[in-house]
Every structure is written in structure tokens, then in C-alpha cells.
Amino acid sequence: MNDLEYLKSKNVEVDNALELWGDEESFKDALKEYQNSLPQKLSDLQLFLKSQDDENYAILVHSMKSESKYLGFMKQAEVFYEHELQAKEGNHEFLETHFTELRKTTHHIITILNEFFHEKKNLLVADDSDIILNFIEKNTKEDYNVLKAEDGSVALDMLKNNHIYAILLDLNMPKLNGFEVLAYFDEFHLFEEIPVVVITGNDTSENIEIACSYPIVNILKKPFNDTSIKSTLDKIEQFYHRNS
């Protein structure tokens, strides 16, 4: 199966898009540009939603709808179009209720394009220990692109600007700790879309109990080894199989 046949297998209307772009190279360039822009657009939409800025929400989601149609993602464009209409009508309740659907739709496009361009999945690892960060990277870099964050604040910035496949999250970090990141995931309903693995060291049973009150997929206890990491990656893949 060649690249364009892969897109067609995912219900992307490639032939119609090629009529617009004229040649395969231009089409692929546009796909890459759109792929790179989506994480930031999704982050901006979330900010507009939180501030109830329906006007700018409508403008941005309109551009996402149009670009999706130009690139053959017609079913996804329908989701963006509905959000555009509701935002123009000031139906903020609809936007809040259905934002998870929009986010899943956007992530689905990014996932298709990551496969199309044969790119590694982004594994975000948040820990204030360089030893831990480098050890995890060493044992996962063959299959994953590892994004390393030394605290929760950096992790959230990376989350907002990248398509994250999974996050390995230490509980005890400076500036913004793991519990605050878990609360952020809970507030914005991200557990449904991004599997979270909690890294624990000398945490109390109470802290572990708090972490487990969230729908995390696994706990990685320090000190861990390559076998523990492989088991964790298996749990991440199982998350996606259950939700496919």
C-alpha cells in the first residue's frame, strides 16, 4: 500500500484534494503544514473556550473546517463546521459539551498524518531527574520520539504544542508537580485521549492512592528497569486497543 492508498483507506478523499492542489508534492506539503499547525490550533481553541471568546473560536474553527475540506478530511470538516455554527450563535454550552469530540477529531487527523509521514509517536516524560529522563529515552527511542520535561509546567507547554501519544509523569517535581498535571488532565477530560503513567519514588501510600483515583493506565515504581518500561509501553498500547 503506497502513501496515498493509506490515506484513502482512512477515508480521506485524496482524489478530490489532488484536483485542488494539482500535484502530489503540493498536496503533501499542505498536509505537513496542516499537521504541524493542529496542536497549536487545538490549544488556542481551548483557551477561547475557557475565556468564552466564541467569536475567535468561530474564526479559528472555520479555518480548521476549510483546511480539512481542502485536504480531503471531509467527515472531520463536518465536526468543525458544527462548532463554527454553534460558536457564531453564541451557544457556549454546546461548545463545552462537545469539545471532547472536536479534540478527538483533531487528534485523529494528526494520528493519520503521523502514520502517513512515518513519524514516531511522541512520548512525553516529565521528571526532574536527568538520569530518569535519559534512561527512559534510551529504552524507548527506537519506537518513540521522547519529549523530556523537567517539571510539570514544561510538560503542559509541550502538551499544548505537540501531539502527545502518552505521558510518563513523576509526582514530585518543582514549579508544577505531577498532582497538578493530573488535575489539569481531569479538568480538560484528557484521560480519555492520552494514556498517563505515573512514576513514583518514595511516595507515601496516601499520595499513590490520590494518583490512582485518576484513570491512569499504570504506575512505574523507581527504581525500574528496561523490563518495567516495556511492560508500561504494553499498557499504553492496550489503552489504544481498548479505545479504537
Side-chain angles (χ1 to χ4, degrees):
M1 180 182 293
N2 63 38
D3 286 344
L4 295 185
E5 287 301 318
Y6 169 77
L7 290 180
K8 291 178 182 179
S9 75
K10 298 299 181 180
N11 299 314
V12 181
E13 297 186 13
V14 173
D15 293 336
N16 290 339
L18 283 174
E19 288 183 13
L20 172 66
W21 294 100
D23 60 82
E24 186 174 326
E25 183 177 354
S26 297
F27 176 51
K28 287 184 176 181
D29 287 344
L31 285 173
K32 171 57 71 175
E33 184 176 353
Y34 189 43
Q35 175 196 28
N36 292 337
S37 72
L38 283 174
Q40 183 61 56
K41 288 180 177 178
L42 189 57
S43 178
D44 290 343
L45 278 180
Q46 188 166 285
L47 289 175
F48 294 146
L49 180 69
K50 191 170 185 179
S51 63
Q52 298 191 17
D53 187 351
D54 294 344
E55 180 179 356
N56 279 315
Y57 187 103
I59 292 170
L60 182 52
V61 81
H62 167 80
S63 73
M64 294 171 72
K65 173 207 70 178
S66 299
E67 291 172 337
S68 295
K69 289 177 66 176
Y70 297 153
L71 295 167
F73 290 91
M74 303 304 293
K75 290 185 177 180
Q76 291 81 1
E78 292 175 6
V79 175
F80 299 139
Y81 179 55
E82 184 62 26
H83 276 253
E84 178 189 356
L85 292 179
Q86 297 298 329
K88 286 180 176 178
E89 293 178 5
N91 189 352
H92 193 74
E93 182 180 354
F94 174 92
L95 303 182
E96 288 186 329
T97 304
H98 292 83
F99 190 76
T100 296
E101 178 191 10
L102 182 144
R103 188 166 50 221
K104 286 182 177 180
T105 297
T106 307
H107 283 317
H108 184 57
I109 294 174
I110 296 172
T111 298
I112 290 173
L113 293 177
N114 283 348
E115 293 289 337
F116 176 68
F117 289 111
H118 309 293
E119 295 182 353
K120 292 181 179 179
K121 303 163 185 173
N122 286 330
L123 182 66
L124 175 56
V125 184
D127 197 297
D128 59 343
S129 167
D130 287 337
I131 293 175
I132 296 295
L133 293 173
N134 293 334
F135 183 78
I136 293 175
E137 181 180 37
K138 177 183 176 182
N139 284 275
T140 59
K141 64 182 180 181
E142 185 174 339
D143 299 311
Y144 295 88
N145 176 41
V146 179
L147 304 179
K148 297 186 284 187
E150 66 272 17
D151 61 60
S153 178
V154 175
L156 289 185
D157 285 341
M158 289 183 172
L159 180 70
K160 293 171 184 176
N161 295 297
N162 298 275
H163 177 56
I164 302 301
Y165 188 74
I167 177 171
L168 275 58
L169 177 69
D170 188 29
L171 293 177
N172 295 303
M173 294 181 292
K175 295 184 181 178
L176 200 72
N177 64 39
F179 295 104
E180 292 170 292
V181 175
L182 290 172
Y184 179 91
F185 264 70
D186 188 49
E187 179 182 359
F188 292 102
H189 310 289
L190 295 177
F191 286 109
E192 303 170 22
E193 302 161 39
I194 303 173
V196 177
V197 173
V198 165
I199 301 173
T200 66
N202 296 318
D203 294 286
T204 65
S205 58
E206 180 182 358
N207 283 347
I208 294 175
E209 185 176 346
I210 293 172
C212 289
S213 69
Y214 295 98
I216 60 176
V217 300
N218 196 31
I219 290 181
L220 189 59
K221 295 183 178 180
K222 302 176 184 176
F224 48 79
N225 54 29
D226 55 346
T227 301
S228 303
I229 293 176
K230 183 181 184 304
S231 176
T232 292
L233 297 178
D234 288 342
K235 293 284 180 60
I236 290 170
E237 295 303 325
Q238 290 170 18
F239 169 91
Y240 283 103
H241 287 314
R242 288 194 305 269
N243 291 280
S244 61

